[in-house]
Amino acid sequence: LIHEHVFSALPGFEIDYRQVFEDESAVKLAVSSLRAAREFGLKTVVDASPIPWYRRPDLLKRISEESEVYIVASTGIYTERMGWPIHLKLLSVEEIAQLFIYEIEKGIQRSSVQAGVIKLATGGFEVGKYERKAIFAAVIAQKSTGVGIITHTEDPRGGIRQLDTFEEAGADLSKVMIGHMDNSQDLEYHMSVAKRGASVGFDRIGHYKMLSHESRLNVVESFIRSGYSSQMLLSHDYVAYGQGRFYETEEQAHWQEYGYTYLFRELLPQLEKRSVDKSLIHSILVDNPMRILGG
Ligand SMILES: [Zn+2]
């Protein structure tokens, strides 16, 4: 699963005395959710929380060991709108690249837990001034380390602008996944990204408030049949333990029931019913993430 969060807390939550991140609850919930998905064959998840999200490499390590699921930690930076700390804003592109490279080669936040992927994000339709710096820095880090890049997009066509910037920066698009493309139902949009060589993340499977289950199933099926399934990735963007108001959503009952298993218990059986080739599905879940993450 290329885009999940084993736990999450809004940047800056520590400022509020009412917000307490409960380590033991986070570990317990994350481990039980990952174990449940492991029954369906889950071996590896990417934890897609970059700077400035609450990153706890010590907990990622514990959760991975206790659940027996590999967790790929992220370096990279989130959207400008969600608050670039002033320190980061003052760094040059080269310095940000060195920060990413350090986290990949040495470890995150002085730990020995290395990042295995770069996660980037752009907020609106335009790529912001700082978001642009992060993309150029990520491409330097990608060239130096060979790691893949995954992204977060918000505007239904934001992926195009992201891709323009990746191309301008000279990224290896075979190892870039434009994420949250399933915020949109527009197959032309999905294919326009795939045609340029990047991969397409249908990584909000189960978020039915954004797109109904039925529409998402149709979109996923159409993309598979478009002939670009070798550039497709599936994931939930599910948070097993979320700290803060942000995580009080109307979809809570759904996520409590499914966690990281919705894809395996609902989406994949429905695709099979529609006669989507099983070997294609295997390839989407195994070969495609291996290409993005491997190297
Ligand atoms: Zn996410």
Side-chain angles (χ1 to χ4, degrees):
L1 296 174
I2 195 83
H3 187 136
E4 307 290 347
H5 302 268
V6 296
F7 54 80
S8 189
L10 282 192
F13 81 97
E14 303 99 316
I15 294 162
D16 185 343
Y17 69 93
R18 297 167 301 179
Q19 298 289 334
V20 181
F21 188 94
E22 306 271 7
D23 285 12
E24 294 313 310
S25 306
V27 170
K28 208 174 142 202
L29 271 169
V31 168
S32 67
S33 306
L34 288 171
R35 278 191 165 272
R38 203 171 141 257
E39 300 294 309
F40 293 89
L42 175 68
K43 290 216 171 79
T44 308
V45 292
V46 172
D47 184 80
S49 299
I51 301 163
W53 289 80
Y54 188 58
R55 293 184 305 162
R56 285 284 303 278
D58 58 326
L59 294 187
L60 290 182
K61 190 164 185 279
R62 256 186 78 189
I63 293 165
S64 178
E65 282 165 359
E66 290 179 26
S67 65
E68 297 176 83
V69 172
Y70 292 113
I71 300 174
V72 178
S74 299
T75 185
I77 311 179
Y78 204 64
T79 62
E80 268 176 52
R81 192 174 55 82
M82 292 288 272
W84 269 52
I86 185 68
H87 175 76
L88 267 186
K89 286 185 172 172
L90 297 173
L91 301 184
S92 67
V93 168
E94 187 53 45
E95 285 172 311
I96 297 171
Q98 288 310 316
L99 178 58
F100 293 163
I101 292 169
Y102 184 91
E103 294 203 337
I104 293 160
E105 292 181 343
K106 299 277 196 298
I108 293 169
Q109 295 168 176
R110 298 203 186 93
S111 74
S112 58
V113 173
Q114 295 160 268
V117 72
I118 302 170
K119 156 76 180 293
L120 298 176
T122 55
F125 184 68
E126 298 293 336
V127 173
K129 171 181 160 194
Y130 296 108
E131 291 162 352
R132 183 178 160 82
K133 274 173 88 171
I135 290 177
F136 275 77
V139 171
I140 295 172
Q142 183 189 49
K143 286 202 164 100
S144 157
T145 63
V147 306
I149 300 172
I150 62 170
T151 76
H152 159 111
T153 56
E154 288 173 4
D155 183 275
R157 301 197 72 79
I160 299 294
R161 293 299 167 101
Q162 246 178 27
L163 205 48
D164 292 344
T165 315
F166 275 118
E167 277 181 356
E168 197 187 327
D172 172 4
L173 293 181
S174 72
K175 294 191 75 168
V176 171
M177 180 196 84
I178 306 293
H180 303 340
M181 295 287 284
D182 51 344
N183 289 355
S184 161
Q185 302 186 59
D186 181 358
L187 186 64
E188 285 299 307
Y189 172 45
H190 303 142
M191 285 175 57
S192 67
V193 167
K195 277 178 189 160
R196 287 165 72 176
S199 290
V200 181
F202 293 86
D203 50 11
R204 279 187 160 161
I205 307 288
H207 289 260
Y208 59 85
K209 294 278 284 179
M210 288 172 175
L211 195 62
S212 72
H213 293 310
E214 184 69 16
S215 304
R216 203 176 306 257
L217 176 65
N218 291 337
V219 160
V220 167
E221 186 193 1
S222 310
F223 189 80
I224 293 173
R225 297 200 190 285
S226 75
Y228 285 97
S229 65
S230 66
Q231 286 162 258
M232 168 186 223
L233 292 109
L234 299 172
S235 208
H236 305 94
D237 198 8
Y238 169 60
V239 177
Y241 173 90
Q243 182 61 44
R245 187 148 300 165
F246 190 61
Y247 299 103
E248 297 162 11
T249 74
E250 291 169 41
E251 294 172 343
Q252 237 154 16
H254 163 89
W255 290 116
Q256 254 161 23
E257 157 137 27
Y258 287 105
Y260 304 112
T261 68
Y262 179 79
L263 183 69
F264 307 107
R265 284 161 64 193
E266 299 291 340
L267 190 96
L268 299 183
Q270 282 161 9
L271 287 174
E272 267 176 50
K273 257 188 226 158
R274 295 181 177 201
S275 310
V276 172
D277 188 347
K278 259 188 140 172
S279 67
L280 269 185
I281 292 177
H282 179 84
S283 205
I284 291 166
L285 294 175
V286 179
D287 301 335
N288 298 355
M290 228 193 280
R291 197 190 58 244
I292 303 278
L293 298 172

